[in-house]
Amino acid sequence: MSYTFSTGQTGSQTVLTIGSTPVTIEQIQDIAFSGQALKMLDSTNLQSTVQEEQPSLPNQGEIKVTCLRIPYSATSGQGLVSIAYNLGSAQTAQAFALTLAPDKAASQTTTGDKFAFNAYVTSFIPAAGISAEKLVLCEFTLKVVTSFTLTDGS
């Protein structure tokens, strides 16, 4: 039997957009998902012979994004994230889409897989980690409040 080489994909050329009319969030260095979990409910009763559990609603978790800071503009992607955050309790969940680069191993040539979701901006640091020997970063966190809608790349 011949060996089938492992395949994988880097995050290079990944794009994150905000808004129903998508605006690209600029200069992203890192996107980190966390907290996705399906909560389990204890359904053990007096007739149970083992602990019993049933699934509840999924928690879609959070996404932390780190970018190189760009000068503020109300029409830039980073600017729109800032505006959403500054609305505080008046904020509505924003539309976001994460699109990977085409995966050649999956015969994608035009677009990569796309993950669409709605989220609140729960933190926004416009100038994080200021140093004479480092680039100034922008960091924000999204609390995902819908299921991810996956569209296969082509």
Side-chain angles (χ1 to χ4, degrees), residues 37-39 56-60 147:
L38 180 63
K39 183 177 181 180
S56 180
L57 298 173
N59 177 344
Q60 299 295 41
S147 295

Side-chain angles (χ1 to χ4, degrees), residues 35 59-63 93 117-122 141-146:
N59 177 344
Q60 299 295 41
E62 295 184 333
I63 302 171
F117 58 95
N118 287 359
Y120 290 103
V121 181
T122 58
T141 302
L142 306 174
K143 173 58 182 151
V144 180
V145 294
T146 60

Side-chain angles (χ1 to χ4, degrees), residues 18-112:
I18 181 174
S20 54
T21 303
V23 175
T24 298
I25 299 170
E26 308 83 2
Q27 302 292 321
I28 294 176
Q29 286 191 317
D30 188 65
I31 299 172
F33 288 75
S34 67
Q36 289 85 359
L38 180 63
K39 183 177 181 180
M40 299 301 290
L41 303 175
D42 184 0
S43 60
T44 307
N45 60 64
L46 294 176
Q47 286 75 43
S48 299
T49 58
V50 297
Q51 181 176 332
E52 297 179 58
E53 294 184 307
Q54 296 179 13
S56 180
L57 298 173
N59 177 344
Q60 299 295 41
E62 295 184 333
I63 302 171
K64 183 178 179 186
V65 181
T66 304
C67 311
L68 296 175
R69 183 189 176 278
I70 63 167
Y72 179 78
S73 165
T75 59
S76 71
Q78 288 184 24
L80 293 173
V81 171
S82 171
I83 290 167
Y85 173 75
N86 286 327
L87 288 172
S89 63
Q91 182 182 166
T92 58
Q94 298 289 314
F96 289 88
L98 179 77
T99 306
L100 300 172
D103 184 350
K104 305 297 186 212
S107 300
Q108 296 174 349
T109 57
T110 308
T111 62

Side-chain angles (χ1 to χ4, degrees), residues 113-138:
D113 293 342
K114 178 179 176 181
F115 304 85
F117 58 95
N118 287 359
Y120 290 103
V121 181
T122 58
S123 73
F124 182 78
I125 305 169
I130 299 171
S131 167
E133 296 189 8
K134 294 182 182 177
L135 297 173
V136 178
L137 302 176
C138 166

